[in-house]
Amino acid sequence: MNTESTSLRTRTVACTPYADQRMGTAGLRRKVAVLRQPHYLESFIQAVLDTLSLRQGASLVIGGDGRFFNDVAIQTIIRMAAAAGATHLIVGRDGLLSTPAASNLIRTRRADGGFLLTASHNPGGPSGDFGVKFNMPTGGQAPEQVTDAVFEATKRIHAYHLADLPLLDLARTGVQRHGQLTVEIVDPVDAYQQLMEKLFDFERIAHWIRSGHRVVFDGMHGITGPYAQRILGEALGVSPEGLMHTRPLPDFGGLHPDPNPVDCRHLVDLCALPTAPDLAAASDGDGDRNMILGPAFMLSPGDSVAMLLANARLAPGYRYGVPGVARSMPTSRAVDRVAAQLGIPCFETPTGWRYFCNLLEANRIGLCGEESFGTGSSHTREKDGLWAVLFWMNVLAAREISLPALAASHWREHGRHYYQRHDYEIPDAARGAALMEELRRTAPQLVGRRAGDACISWADDFCYRDPVDGSESAHQGVRVVLDDDSRIVFRLSGTGTAGATLRVYLERYEPDPARHALDTTAVLAALGREAASLARITAHAGPAAPTMIV
Ligand code: VG1
Ligand code: CO
């Protein structure tokens, strides 16, 4: 190891620009084979570094979810960050950091930003996906203006720069010095655990576990396993049998780390048994999503944020309530009702966590959520899977109530929003784009048209104006609202790596408690058929049934 404080030598490599490096909903995601093309990753990283023009002496946080290519990409990014002038790199041990833990480190260490290596819930392994996100000094993902500027920069990249460094040993925590560069390898869990201990009543939760309540958590061989072992297992006393698939693996052990009732069927089945645990949960590859289940019960993510808001004051970190809340536009409007009752604002933002960040930074909101199994708060600037699990444990322990009973009483008070998302895989991306284009064009003419028992009362192409900085984001999905207050939303996914995925979001409000225990699929079946006919899915994409229902 070189301990002299000298400048590192850098090397410049010529390259030709790739035309396809636009970031999607959350960073750049590509098939591993695409990202491994010569100079592909390097060109993109250089475009980010050029756009940011890091100050000399900058510090950056770097870590990933441990998927295939994480170990290779991280060494490249370290060299490039050092060549761009960063002199302090904070790296998770073994290159591992969950997305929320990385966001927290950027904030608490006052870093100039961070690279998060993940394709989230997308499949891993050599034939799977890889991805990179860049987060700002606030800890939040780069906003649209920055990602647009990075895309422009990728089209002009003709060279990138690497510092001459040996292959770094990331396996041991501690500080390494290489010339003027300091590489600090940190335990991935420590700082995150401290934050959780401040927010939640660990004593109460531990008592709840000791008194016989059972918790099952599935890390899906993604990044959350080590966090769950330390926090749920060692600190709170969840039994080892309750902690499943906790070792991060490059291919997620063949599992698909997407916490939803299809990919986590085994948890749904477990909760259907008479021996169901009091709480079952899973997270995704990078640890920012959560799925919560209880005895014979699965909590819909839109309900989760609504119920957490209604019970927030039971957790020490939220005992004074929150100034406001937000949900992504397609997310169910259940939280709007609780916010109205509490007399606090509820903002509707485009899909993608980055749109919450200005509101969080300005302290306009303290809690937010997305239908895609994402919930979070002002404690960090990413959604946070394990945080949601701890919040729910805290609420159930404090109220001494079961999850299904809490949900039933919430619905009695506020009514129930039946909710489902239907995804349609469209192999030809151009056809998906044409379908959305037609919907956008025809949306205004839909008003007055009959849809089943109801009439369409309004429809639009959602355009968001950020209340903090006034920036506008257009074409964020088509909303169709019926006169019985049912709602259909259409948008294309921005995280896939092949073809197009049309997401159709269905929601129906039911105030009558006698009708709160119905089957969601049955309640929404007719609305789903209306949606397919409105969007002319068969005409655009061929005979179609949803490829995924969550
Ligand atoms: C999806 C979800 C969105 C989420 C995004 C990133 O995006 O719908 O709510 O913010 O993934 O989450 P899209 O564009 O495919 O619908 V993660 O956990 O993949 O970083
Ligand atoms: Co994720």
Side-chain angles (χ1 to χ4, degrees):
M1 182 169 73
N2 176 4
T3 51
E4 288 165 49
S5 185
T6 50
S7 287
L8 287 169
R9 281 222 310 265
T10 61
R11 195 158 54 87
T12 296
V13 181
C15 60
T16 36
Y18 284 93
D20 68 337
Q21 298 197 324
R22 184 191 276 287
M23 284 184 252
T25 312
L28 183 79
R29 289 187 193 173
R30 294 288 180 268
K31 293 262 173 248
V32 167
V34 172
L35 259 146
R36 280 166 112 188
Q37 294 174 93
H39 316 304
Y40 192 98
L41 173 71
E42 292 86 344
S43 304
F44 174 72
I45 301 293
Q46 192 63 53
V48 174
L49 292 167
D50 289 353
T51 305
L52 295 168
S53 50
L54 286 181
R55 66 181 174 92
Q56 196 61 33
S59 59
L60 291 174
V61 170
I62 308 178
D65 62 12
R67 68 177 58 224
F68 183 81
F69 200 51
N70 194 128
D71 51 350
V72 177
I74 203 162
Q75 299 277 350
T76 303
I77 294 174
I78 288 173
R79 281 172 205 191
M80 293 188 67
T87 57
H88 187 190
L89 302 180
I90 301 163
V91 182
R93 190 180 50 235
D94 292 322
L96 300 179
L97 281 175
S98 79
T99 289
S103 177
N104 177 49
L105 273 179
I106 296 170
R107 292 167 66 73
T108 52
R109 303 296 298 272
R110 297 184 192 283
D112 294 280
F115 284 103
L116 282 59
L117 282 52
T118 173
S120 187
H121 58 289
N122 295 23
S127 56
D129 294 347
F130 190 76
V132 182
K133 287 196 295 182
F134 183 78
N135 287 32
M136 307 302 282
T138 55
Q141 285 172 47
E144 211 176 292
Q145 303 88 298
V146 174
T147 58
D148 285 351
V150 169
F151 180 52
E152 291 309 312
T154 61
K155 299 181 202 161
R156 297 188 301 262
I157 287 287
H158 288 285
Y160 60 88
H161 316 287
L162 295 157
D164 266 340
L165 284 170
L167 210 58
L168 299 186
D169 173 10
L170 307 181
R172 257 173 306 114
T173 50
V175 172
Q176 307 175 12
R177 291 206 173 78
H178 303 273
Q180 84 272 36
L181 176 70
T182 304
V183 181
E184 184 186 345
I185 313 290
V186 298
D187 178 281
V189 183
D190 283 348
Y192 179 82
Q193 179 167 358
Q194 282 162 19
L195 176 63
M196 294 303 117
E197 284 170 357
K198 273 193 249 157
L199 297 176
F200 301 115
D201 189 343
F202 270 45
E203 224 162 275
R204 189 167 217 161
I205 301 172
H207 175 77
W208 183 72
I209 303 276
R210 273 198 308 276
S211 60
H213 293 95
R214 281 178 45 241
V215 171
V216 169
F217 178 82
D218 191 342
M220 310 281 282
H221 287 310
I223 189 66
T224 40
Y227 294 82
Q229 263 177 336
R230 288 264 295 281
I231 300 172
L232 301 183
E234 290 168 31
L236 294 169
V238 171
S239 74
E241 308 83 72
L243 301 174
M244 300 161 67
H245 309 124
T246 53
R247 200 151 66 88
L249 293 174
D251 64 348
F252 305 123
L255 297 175
H256 185 183
D258 190 353
N260 67 56
V262 178
D263 292 295
C264 288
R265 181 83 232 165
H266 55 289
L267 288 187
V268 177
D269 292 344
L270 183 75
C271 287
L273 299 173
T275 51
D278 297 279
L279 186 83
S283 193
D284 67 334
D286 65 327
D288 58 359
R289 295 186 178 206
N290 74 90
M291 181 171 78
I292 304 283
L293 306 102
F297 183 79
M298 196 203 108
L299 183 64
S300 153
D303 277 344
S304 183
V305 64
M307 292 173 194
L308 287 180
L309 175 62
N311 292 282
R313 285 163 181 267
L314 298 171
Y318 304 87
R319 72 165 74 86
Y320 303 114
V322 293
V325 287
R327 58 164 173 80
S328 68
M329 182 273 280
T331 301
S332 110
R333 294 160 295 172
V335 68
D336 303 34
R337 292 180 192 276
V338 183
Q341 190 194 51
L342 294 172
I344 60 172
C346 177
F347 297 89
E348 185 175 48
T349 58
T351 295
W353 206 259
R354 59 185 169 160
Y355 294 102
F356 293 133
C357 291
N358 273 351
L359 294 165
L360 288 165
E361 213 51 39
N363 201 29
R364 303 274 288 268
I365 61 169
L367 196 68
C368 41
E370 293 192 280
E371 56 68 41
S372 53
F373 298 85
T375 330
S377 88
S378 49
H379 72 286
T380 184
R381 293 293 175 271
E382 292 274 8
K383 56 190 189 274
D384 190 343
L386 208 57
W387 165 91
V389 178
L390 290 166
F391 209 147
W392 269 107
M393 288 166 84
N394 195 144
V395 167
L396 296 181
R399 285 195 48 181
E400 295 179 352
I401 189 173
S402 77
L403 179 61
L406 184 147
S409 89
H410 184 96
W411 292 332
R412 269 197 301 281
E413 188 176 346
H414 297 278
R416 177 171 181 186
H417 287 253
Y418 283 99
Y419 189 88
Q420 218 168 43
R421 192 182 85 211
H422 293 188
D423 287 347
Y424 294 82
E425 294 304 328
I426 305 176
D428 179 357
R431 284 172 178 248
L435 180 152
M436 273 313 295
E437 184 44 44
E438 180 179 288
L439 263 175
R440 276 200 283 271
R441 213 180 46 244
T442 54
Q445 296 142 35
L446 295 177
V447 176
R449 177 173 153 165
R450 277 217 82 74
D453 296 338
C455 247
I456 296 174
S457 49
W458 64 269
D460 74 351
D461 177 10
F462 180 51
C463 176
Y464 178 62
R465 187 162 190 282
D466 186 303
V468 179
D469 66 15
S471 60
E472 285 200 354
S473 305
H475 308 313
Q476 296 297 325
V478 169
R479 307 186 276 190
V480 177
V481 174
L482 313 186
D483 55 11
D484 63 359
D485 210 25
S486 301
R487 187 179 69 150
I488 306 168
V489 174
F490 302 93
R491 61 178 283 281
L492 291 179
S493 158
T495 56
T497 57
T501 305
L502 172 71
R503 301 207 195 280
V504 180
Y505 307 85
L506 308 170
E507 181 183 7
R508 192 178 193 117
Y509 179 59
E510 178 54 72
D512 180 2
R515 300 178 51 81
H516 283 170
L518 305 178
D519 174 57
T520 299
T521 301
V523 170
L524 295 173
L527 198 61
R529 283 193 297 274
E530 287 301 333
S533 119
L534 283 179
R536 303 200 315 120
I537 294 178
T538 307
H540 281 283
T547 31
M548 173 87 148
I549 297 183
V550 290

